[in-house]
Amino acid sequence: ELIPVIPVNTLKGMAPASLGLLVAYAMEYDGRRLSDKYDFVPMFLTDETRVTARAATTSIFMFSNYVWNVEFNLQLSAAVKAINPASITVHGGPSTPSYENDCKMFFANNPHVDVAVRGEGELTFADMLDALDLANSRDLAVLRDIPGLTYRTADGVCRTADRERIADVNTIPSPYLMGLFDEFGSVKAGAIIETNRGCPYGCTFCDWGSATLSRVRKFDIERVFQE
């Protein structure tokens, strides 16, 4: 009876830190109470067959878009909606537009996208899950008071206020230490370990999670060693 929450990762041999951090935060959110509504599926190593099989059940699908996977993610997102229009597709990451006009164009070009998360996604995604009630309604208007979102409604694309960055990144649980990437097992060839967020510089060639010109926030060094 729980709504599945499915992170979609197609990059073999690399644990997807971004998706893992999102799921870890949502699982631990406010005393783990989202577990009463959702089944967090640790499908961190997947392909089109597994995604489309899951799409038969109304679910929330998560996509973290980068230059190397955005086109395939959009194809999978479209396949999910073709199988089950009641599912919700959520896109974030550096290759998901943040500026208002770019975001409108992104939604116009990709009618299968339901929600775009702007900036840091952990708290925004958890708040979104908390507000949604897919068991009874698919109305995304319930997201109107959640900062950091752009979403599709019958009346057009809606945009909420920007969200402040998470001040203490150590409040974000570690997907590694929670065992969320254990599915990779012996095939895991690499892993991304995040030691800090933010950068005081604004180099034109760089996008550090769009966190340029911002204060550096560090993960506790003991946590990094444990990971």
Side-chain angles (χ1 to χ4, degrees), residues 6 15 20-21 24 34 40 50 81 87 89 93 102 108 122 129-130 164 167 183 186 188 191 198 204 208 216:
I6 301 173
L21 289 161
L34 291 180
F40 293 96
R50 295 182 75 188
K81 295 295 283 189
S87 286
T89 56
D102 293 341
E122 288 87 3
L129 292 181
D130 190 33
E164 294 291 329
E183 181 190 35
S186 60
K188 183 164 59 185
T204 56
W208 177 216
V216 176

mmCIF file of all heavy atoms in Angstrom, residues 6 15 20-21 24 34 40 50 81 87 89 93 102 108 122 129-130 164 167 183 186 188 191 198 204 208 216:
data_model
loop_
_atom_site.group_PDB
_atom_site.id
_atom_site.type_symbol
_atom_site.label_atom_id
_atom_site.label_comp_id
_atom_site.label_asym_id
_atom_site.label_seq_id
_atom_site.Cartn_x
_atom_site.Cartn_y
_atom_site.Cartn_z
ATOM 1 N N ILE A 6 11.589 5.747 -6.318
ATOM 2 C CA ILE A 6 12.590 4.996 -7.082
ATOM 3 C C ILE A 6 13.646 5.929 -7.660
ATOM 4 O O ILE A 6 13.355 6.735 -8.551
ATOM 5 C CB ILE A 6 11.908 4.207 -8.217
ATOM 6 C CG1 ILE A 6 10.877 3.237 -7.621
ATOM 7 C CG2 ILE A 6 12.945 3.457 -9.043
ATOM 8 C CD1 ILE A 6 10.026 2.536 -8.647
ATOM 9 N N ALA A 15 28.652 4.460 -7.656
ATOM 10 C CA ALA A 15 27.551 4.736 -6.741
ATOM 11 C C ALA A 15 27.122 6.197 -6.895
ATOM 12 O O ALA A 15 27.953 7.095 -6.815
ATOM 13 C CB ALA A 15 27.988 4.465 -5.305
ATOM 14 N N GLY A 20 21.720 9.030 -3.673
ATOM 15 C CA GLY A 20 21.814 8.405 -2.366
ATOM 16 C C GLY A 20 21.588 9.382 -1.234
ATOM 17 O O GLY A 20 20.908 9.071 -0.245
ATOM 18 N N LEU A 21 22.145 10.582 -1.350
ATOM 19 C CA LEU A 21 21.955 11.601 -0.326
ATOM 20 C C LEU A 21 20.489 12.014 -0.228
ATOM 21 O O LEU A 21 19.959 12.233 0.872
ATOM 22 C CB LEU A 21 22.829 12.819 -0.625
ATOM 23 C CG LEU A 21 24.334 12.610 -0.416
ATOM 24 C CD1 LEU A 21 25.133 13.674 -1.149
ATOM 25 C CD2 LEU A 21 24.681 12.616 1.074
ATOM 26 N N ALA A 24 18.630 9.070 1.468
ATOM 27 C CA ALA A 24 19.017 8.977 2.872
ATOM 28 C C ALA A 24 18.333 10.054 3.703
ATOM 29 O O ALA A 24 17.816 9.790 4.797
ATOM 30 C CB ALA A 24 20.538 9.081 2.998
ATOM 31 N N LEU A 34 8.237 9.500 7.003
ATOM 32 C CA LEU A 34 7.847 9.288 5.615
ATOM 33 C C LEU A 34 7.764 7.801 5.267
ATOM 34 O O LEU A 34 7.151 7.437 4.258
ATOM 35 C CB LEU A 34 8.835 9.988 4.664
ATOM 36 C CG LEU A 34 8.809 11.514 4.675
ATOM 37 C CD1 LEU A 34 9.836 12.063 3.694
ATOM 38 C CD2 LEU A 34 7.412 12.054 4.347
ATOM 39 N N PHE A 40 10.910 3.186 0.038
ATOM 40 C CA PHE A 40 12.128 3.679 -0.602
ATOM 41 C C PHE A 40 12.878 2.509 -1.217
ATOM 42 O O PHE A 40 13.447 1.673 -0.521
ATOM 43 C CB PHE A 40 12.994 4.425 0.416
ATOM 44 C CG PHE A 40 12.367 5.703 0.901
ATOM 45 C CD1 PHE A 40 11.639 5.737 2.080
ATOM 46 C CD2 PHE A 40 12.483 6.867 0.159
ATOM 47 C CE1 PHE A 40 11.042 6.908 2.521
ATOM 48 C CE2 PHE A 40 11.893 8.054 0.596
ATOM 49 C CZ PHE A 40 11.170 8.062 1.778
ATOM 50 N N ARG A 50 14.311 -2.584 -16.019
ATOM 51 C CA ARG A 50 13.923 -2.505 -14.609
ATOM 52 C C ARG A 50 13.043 -1.285 -14.344
ATOM 53 O O ARG A 50 12.087 -1.353 -13.578
ATOM 54 C CB ARG A 50 15.172 -2.449 -13.716
ATOM 55 C CG ARG A 50 16.025 -3.698 -13.754
ATOM 56 C CD ARG A 50 17.201 -3.581 -12.805
ATOM 57 N NE ARG A 50 16.786 -3.731 -11.409
ATOM 58 C CZ ARG A 50 17.589 -3.518 -10.379
ATOM 59 N NH1 ARG A 50 18.836 -3.121 -10.571
ATOM 60 N NH2 ARG A 50 17.143 -3.687 -9.144
ATOM 61 N N LYS A 81 6.195 7.691 -17.990
ATOM 62 C CA LYS A 81 4.889 8.361 -18.105
ATOM 63 C C LYS A 81 4.012 7.707 -19.174
ATOM 64 O O LYS A 81 2.780 7.711 -19.060
ATOM 65 C CB LYS A 81 5.096 9.834 -18.420
ATOM 66 C CG LYS A 81 5.793 10.605 -17.307
ATOM 67 C CD LYS A 81 4.957 10.681 -16.047
ATOM 68 C CE LYS A 81 3.856 11.700 -16.191
ATOM 69 N NZ LYS A 81 3.166 11.927 -14.886
ATOM 70 N N SER A 87 2.187 8.152 -12.395
ATOM 71 C CA SER A 87 3.459 8.273 -11.688
ATOM 72 C C SER A 87 3.967 9.705 -11.742
ATOM 73 O O SER A 87 3.603 10.475 -12.644
ATOM 74 C CB SER A 87 4.496 7.331 -12.296
ATOM 75 O OG SER A 87 4.238 5.983 -11.942
ATOM 76 N N THR A 89 7.301 12.125 -12.041
ATOM 77 C CA THR A 89 8.712 12.175 -12.416
ATOM 78 C C THR A 89 9.332 13.455 -11.872
ATOM 79 O O THR A 89 8.830 14.546 -12.120
ATOM 80 C CB THR A 89 8.879 12.120 -13.943
ATOM 81 O OG1 THR A 89 8.124 13.178 -14.538
ATOM 82 C CG2 THR A 89 8.390 10.786 -14.492
ATOM 83 N N GLY A 93 19.454 18.149 -10.302
ATOM 84 C CA GLY A 93 20.834 18.065 -10.768
ATOM 85 C C GLY A 93 21.236 19.251 -11.621
ATOM 86 O O GLY A 93 20.390 20.044 -12.067
ATOM 87 N N ASP A 102 14.341 29.376 -18.727
ATOM 88 C CA ASP A 102 14.923 28.095 -19.124
ATOM 89 C C ASP A 102 14.086 26.936 -18.598
ATOM 90 O O ASP A 102 13.909 25.913 -19.265
ATOM 91 C CB ASP A 102 16.356 27.981 -18.593
ATOM 92 C CG ASP A 102 17.304 28.961 -19.247
ATOM 93 O OD1 ASP A 102 16.973 29.464 -20.333
ATOM 94 O OD2 ASP A 102 18.364 29.231 -18.673
ATOM 95 N N ALA A 108 8.247 22.699 -21.413
ATOM 96 C CA ALA A 108 7.571 22.684 -22.716
ATOM 97 C C ALA A 108 8.141 21.600 -23.622
ATOM 98 O O ALA A 108 7.396 20.929 -24.354
ATOM 99 C CB ALA A 108 7.696 24.050 -23.377
ATOM 100 N N GLU A 122 18.051 17.881 -0.998
ATOM 101 C CA GLU A 122 17.697 16.974 0.094
ATOM 102 C C GLU A 122 16.435 17.418 0.841
ATOM 103 O O GLU A 122 15.453 16.679 0.935
ATOM 104 C CB GLU A 122 18.871 16.834 1.069
ATOM 105 C CG GLU A 122 20.029 16.026 0.543
ATOM 106 C CD GLU A 122 21.024 16.839 -0.251
ATOM 107 O OE1 GLU A 122 20.830 18.075 -0.351
ATOM 108 O OE2 GLU A 122 21.998 16.263 -0.781
ATOM 109 N N LEU A 129 7.828 15.143 -0.706
ATOM 110 C CA LEU A 129 7.213 13.860 -0.377
ATOM 111 C C LEU A 129 6.215 14.002 0.765
ATOM 112 O O LEU A 129 5.152 13.365 0.763
ATOM 113 C CB LEU A 129 8.299 12.842 0.015
ATOM 114 C CG LEU A 129 9.251 12.379 -1.084
ATOM 115 C CD1 LEU A 129 10.243 11.368 -0.520
ATOM 116 C CD2 LEU A 129 8.505 11.780 -2.257
ATOM 117 N N ASP A 130 6.552 14.836 1.715
ATOM 118 C CA ASP A 130 5.670 15.047 2.854
ATOM 119 C C ASP A 130 4.345 15.676 2.417
ATOM 120 O O ASP A 130 3.276 15.332 2.928
ATOM 121 C CB ASP A 130 6.367 15.929 3.885
ATOM 122 C CG ASP A 130 5.630 15.996 5.213
ATOM 123 O OD1 ASP A 130 5.000 14.990 5.590
ATOM 124 O OD2 ASP A 130 5.692 17.045 5.868
ATOM 125 N N GLU A 164 16.991 28.527 0.650
ATOM 126 C CA GLU A 164 18.328 28.741 1.186
ATOM 127 C C GLU A 164 19.082 27.407 1.223
ATOM 128 O O GLU A 164 18.485 26.335 1.377
ATOM 129 C CB GLU A 164 18.248 29.320 2.602
ATOM 130 C CG GLU A 164 17.647 30.723 2.669
ATOM 131 C CD GLU A 164 18.556 31.776 2.042
ATOM 132 O OE1 GLU A 164 19.790 31.603 2.096
ATOM 133 O OE2 GLU A 164 18.026 32.754 1.477
ATOM 134 N N ALA A 167 22.509 24.870 5.923
ATOM 135 C CA ALA A 167 23.620 25.498 6.642
ATOM 136 C C ALA A 167 24.610 24.456 7.166
ATOM 137 O O ALA A 167 25.830 24.643 7.079
ATOM 138 C CB ALA A 167 23.084 26.348 7.789
ATOM 139 N N GLU A 183 23.746 -2.723 -2.911
ATOM 140 C CA GLU A 183 23.373 -3.439 -4.126
ATOM 141 C C GLU A 183 24.534 -3.518 -5.118
ATOM 142 O O GLU A 183 24.628 -4.460 -5.893
ATOM 143 C CB GLU A 183 22.177 -2.747 -4.796
ATOM 144 C CG GLU A 183 21.713 -3.453 -6.065
ATOM 145 C CD GLU A 183 20.702 -2.657 -6.871
ATOM 146 O OE1 GLU A 183 20.826 -1.418 -6.888
ATOM 147 O OE2 GLU A 183 19.826 -3.253 -7.488
ATOM 148 N N SER A 186 30.277 -6.345 -5.341
ATOM 149 C CA SER A 186 31.640 -6.449 -5.863
ATOM 150 C C SER A 186 31.813 -5.757 -7.198
ATOM 151 O O SER A 186 32.942 -5.599 -7.662
ATOM 152 C CB SER A 186 32.026 -7.918 -6.010
ATOM 153 O OG SER A 186 31.143 -8.576 -6.893
ATOM 154 N N LYS A 188 31.124 -2.703 -7.779
ATOM 155 C CA LYS A 188 31.348 -1.275 -7.592
ATOM 156 C C LYS A 188 32.801 -0.930 -7.919
ATOM 157 O O LYS A 188 33.719 -1.373 -7.250
ATOM 158 C CB LYS A 188 30.999 -0.873 -6.155
ATOM 159 C CG LYS A 188 31.136 0.604 -5.877
ATOM 160 C CD LYS A 188 30.417 0.980 -4.584
ATOM 161 C CE LYS A 188 30.957 0.215 -3.400
ATOM 162 N NZ LYS A 188 30.180 0.481 -2.172
ATOM 163 N N ALA A 191 33.435 5.378 -6.430
ATOM 164 C CA ALA A 191 32.458 6.043 -5.564
ATOM 165 C C ALA A 191 32.834 7.510 -5.428
ATOM 166 O O ALA A 191 34.014 7.863 -5.411
ATOM 167 C CB ALA A 191 32.416 5.385 -4.184
ATOM 168 N N GLY A 198 30.043 24.173 -1.849
ATOM 169 C CA GLY A 198 30.215 25.614 -1.964
ATOM 170 C C GLY A 198 31.597 25.995 -2.448
ATOM 171 O O GLY A 198 32.557 25.226 -2.366
ATOM 172 N N THR A 204 33.886 31.189 -14.685
ATOM 173 C CA THR A 204 32.849 31.059 -15.706
ATOM 174 C C THR A 204 32.758 29.651 -16.273
ATOM 175 O O THR A 204 31.708 29.264 -16.786
ATOM 176 C CB THR A 204 33.118 32.037 -16.865
ATOM 177 O OG1 THR A 204 34.422 31.804 -17.380
ATOM 178 C CG2 THR A 204 32.997 33.470 -16.396
ATOM 179 N N TRP A 208 29.774 24.228 -9.665
ATOM 180 C CA TRP A 208 29.918 23.325 -8.526
ATOM 181 C C TRP A 208 28.550 23.211 -7.863
ATOM 182 O O TRP A 208 28.292 23.747 -6.808
ATOM 183 C CB TRP A 208 30.972 23.870 -7.573
ATOM 184 C CG TRP A 208 31.206 23.120 -6.306
ATOM 185 C CD1 TRP A 208 31.511 23.653 -5.083
ATOM 186 C CD2 TRP A 208 31.210 21.700 -6.096
ATOM 187 N NE1 TRP A 208 31.679 22.675 -4.149
ATOM 188 C CE2 TRP A 208 31.494 21.454 -4.741
ATOM 189 C CE3 TRP A 208 30.965 20.603 -6.928
ATOM 190 C CZ2 TRP A 208 31.555 20.170 -4.193
ATOM 191 C CZ3 TRP A 208 31.023 19.319 -6.387
ATOM 192 C CH2 TRP A 208 31.328 19.125 -5.053
ATOM 193 N N VAL A 216 31.847 27.939 1.887
ATOM 194 C CA VAL A 216 32.184 26.518 1.885
ATOM 195 C C VAL A 216 31.642 25.876 3.163
ATOM 196 O O VAL A 216 31.880 26.358 4.264
ATOM 197 C CB VAL A 216 33.707 26.311 1.795
ATOM 198 C CG1 VAL A 216 34.047 24.829 1.895
ATOM 199 C CG2 VAL A 216 34.241 26.884 0.490
#
